[in-house]
Amino acid sequence: MAMKRAAATAIRAFAASSEISGSSLLTRDLHASAGSKKIVGVFYKANKYAALNPNFLGCAENALGIRDWLESQGHQYVVTDDKEGPDCELEKHIPDLHVLITTPFHPAYVTAERIKKAKNLQLLLTAGIGSDHIDLQAAAAAGLTVAEVTGSNTVSVAEDELMRILILVRNFLPGYHQVIKGEWDVASIAYRAYDLEGKTVGTIGAGRIGKLLLQRLKPFNCNLLYHDRLKMDPDMENQTGAKFEEDLDAMLPKCDIVVMNMPLTEKTRGMFDKERIAKMKRGVLIVNNARGALMDTQAVVDACSSGHVAGYSGDVWYPQPAPKDHPWRYMPNQAMTPHISGTTIDGQIRYAAGTRDMLDRYFKGEDFPAQNYIVKEGEIASQYR
């Protein structure tokens, strides 16, 4: 703790004598000053689907359902899906916005360069979970508050992970594709279809999503392992029957199925490279709903092509949206989707409500729930360090 306090003091001391683009570091108010605010939301376009469900709140057209509320209070609310390149719509609003809301499903990458341009920016909100699309070091140095709606879509993602495990274990997709093509060849599916019962499943990360996944896997009578910075409390270990593995590289060869549940940081970026994937047993199945950049893209392609990885499924890519020539689209034995796991209608209702609550607290100068902060007063949350 003493070291953390000393580091925070050093940052503030540095900030007092430093400037970014003419503005002193760590001098921006953490909460709203009086007057109208310009709030920009970046969400994916739903087009014809926007009107098909009144609770489809996470799209650009429905904009979290907060437009009337914001505008009734005199605030300006600009919403766009155009977020890339120097001439995009978002870039036009960077210099004078106060709040930027974005999602992990259609992330607006908030770089140090954009932060320097955003002279009025005070608050960066993630509608959902995962703020790695933001340069957190730059945000902390600039005195910005970064927050997300912690817990809003943990159930959604954990359920999706369980689905993907079953899809891979049962070799479901080739059978589905046979039906579409009018074919019937049971042998071509059955030769690599298995039961989940008795398999060893390891989750890398046992936070909110990892714990929920382990709870859902227990009835399948799997052998459950987990690797994390911290051990779960004994009650949760007993409830799930999961065994703690301190050494990741020792856990990997034991697993029939590996699930990624850790955040993307500079330490975890690209950590699953050719060498680490080679430590997994041949025929391993990998599920990754965490972040695409955890993986070395080409290493995954090569491992799927050689059969060392028997199946890879997830909904996270880098960058997002994934370009048409992204090699994961075309590698064998994949069950990839666009980033959908956390944006169920139920999840959208939760993260829309959470975003509104934090905006209301921001306008009133009140603190957010402690677990929602990713950057506060120059300090980055431990999971992102």
Side-chain angles (χ1 to χ4, degrees):
M1 290 298 294
M3 290 182 67
K4 283 178 65 178
R5 286 194 294 270
T9 301
I11 289 173
R12 292 187 179 92
F14 171 75
S17 59
S18 302
E19 294 188 347
I20 287 183
S21 298
S23 297
S24 295
L25 295 173
L26 290 175
T27 58
R28 305 190 198 192
D29 291 332
L30 294 178
H31 295 291
S33 53
S36 174
K37 299 300 171 190
K38 182 173 184 178
I39 298 148
V40 175
V42 178
F43 311 108
Y44 54 79
K45 266 278 188 77
N47 300 309
K48 65 181 181 180
Y49 302 105
L52 298 183
N53 188 330
N55 291 318
F56 190 1
L57 302 176
C59 59
E61 291 85 349
N62 295 330
L64 302 181
I66 58 176
R67 181 179 295 282
D68 290 346
W69 171 68
L70 286 173
E71 292 180 350
S72 71
Q73 298 187 50
H75 302 298
Q76 182 183 3
Y77 189 30
V78 177
V79 173
T80 183
D81 71 320
D82 184 17
K83 61 189 180 68
E84 304 292 345
D87 299 319
C88 71
E89 185 66 20
L90 172 61
E91 201 69 27
K92 299 173 186 176
H93 301 286
I94 291 290
D96 64 346
L97 58 80
H98 297 90
V99 180
L100 177 61
I101 307 169
T102 186
T103 74
F105 319 107
H106 188 72
Y109 294 102
V110 184
T111 60
E113 182 181 4
R114 278 180 164 171
I115 288 172
K116 288 179 184 179
K117 292 178 182 177
K119 305 297 185 183
N120 294 335
L121 181 60
Q122 296 172 324
L123 176 61
L124 292 160
L125 284 180
T126 299
I129 305 171
S131 296
D132 47 83
H133 53 281
I134 298 167
D135 186 325
L136 297 179
Q137 294 288 345
L144 303 179
T145 298
V146 181
E148 59 188 39
V149 191
T150 300
S152 59
N153 50 23
T154 53
V155 169
S156 310
V157 177
E159 287 184 358
D160 188 273
E161 288 177 343
L162 179 57
M163 175 191 72
R164 290 176 192 277
I165 290 171
L166 289 166
I167 282 173
L168 292 178
V169 168
R170 301 305 293 265
N171 202 24
F172 173 82
L173 281 181
Y176 173 73
H177 291 150
Q178 280 191 24
V179 171
I180 298 297
K181 296 175 184 177
E183 300 171 353
W184 190 280
D185 185 359
V186 174
S188 68
I189 303 160
Y191 86 101
R192 58 195 300 269
Y194 297 87
D195 295 336
L196 180 53
E197 184 175 52
K199 302 299 182 293
T200 297
V201 184
T203 174
I204 305 172
R208 292 177 177 86
I209 296 170
K211 289 185 179 75
L212 287 174
L213 176 65
L214 291 170
Q215 289 173 325
R216 283 153 175 74
L217 283 169
K218 186 178 181 181
F220 286 88
N221 297 319
C222 301
N223 177 30
L224 300 177
L225 307 176
Y226 75 96
H227 170 79
D228 203 305
R229 296 179 299 117
L230 303 171
K231 285 192 70 174
M232 294 188 294
D233 65 70
D235 286 345
M236 181 58 71
E237 279 197 344
N238 290 334
Q239 184 189 127
T240 61
K243 178 185 175 184
F244 177 64
E245 293 278 343
E246 186 173 4
D247 186 339
L248 172 60
D249 289 332
M251 182 183 86
L252 292 176
K254 302 175 184 177
C255 297
D256 301 298
I257 302 153
V258 175
V259 186
M260 308 297 170
N261 273 315
M262 69 288 214
L264 176 65
T265 68
E266 287 311 306
K267 292 179 182 178
T268 62
R269 186 179 298 274
M271 70 179 289
F272 283 87
D273 54 13
K274 179 180 178 181
E275 289 71 26
R276 182 156 269 134
I277 292 173
K279 294 177 181 178
M280 300 181 188
K281 65 168 63 175
R282 184 173 180 81
V284 69
L285 304 174
I286 299 175
V287 171
N288 181 11
N289 280 359
R291 288 295 180 265
L294 295 170
M295 317 299 292
D296 179 306
T297 300
Q298 191 58 47
V300 173
V301 174
D302 293 343
C304 286
S305 298
S306 71
H308 187 84
V309 171
Y312 183 92
S313 183
D315 70 339
V316 287
W317 310 67
Y318 185 79
Q320 288 190 183
K324 290 183 179 180
D325 62 352
H326 196 294
W328 288 358
R329 292 180 183 268
Y330 310 105
M331 66 185 179
N333 304 323
Q334 59 91 356
M336 296 296 296
T337 63
H339 195 169
I340 57 171
S341 63
T343 190
T344 62
I345 296 300
D346 301 286
Q348 290 177 43
I349 291 170
R350 290 189 292 265
Y351 64 69
T355 302
R356 174 170 172 157
D357 175 68
M358 286 194 290
L359 285 172
D360 189 46
R361 291 170 184 258
Y362 162 73
F363 298 139
K364 294 175 180 177
E366 299 174 355
D367 280 343
F368 303 147
Q371 69 271 18
N372 287 12
Y373 283 105
I374 303 303
V375 176
K376 182 183 182 183
E377 297 176 351
E379 289 201 22
I380 301 173
S382 59
Q383 68 266 34
Y384 281 102
R385 293 178 198 154

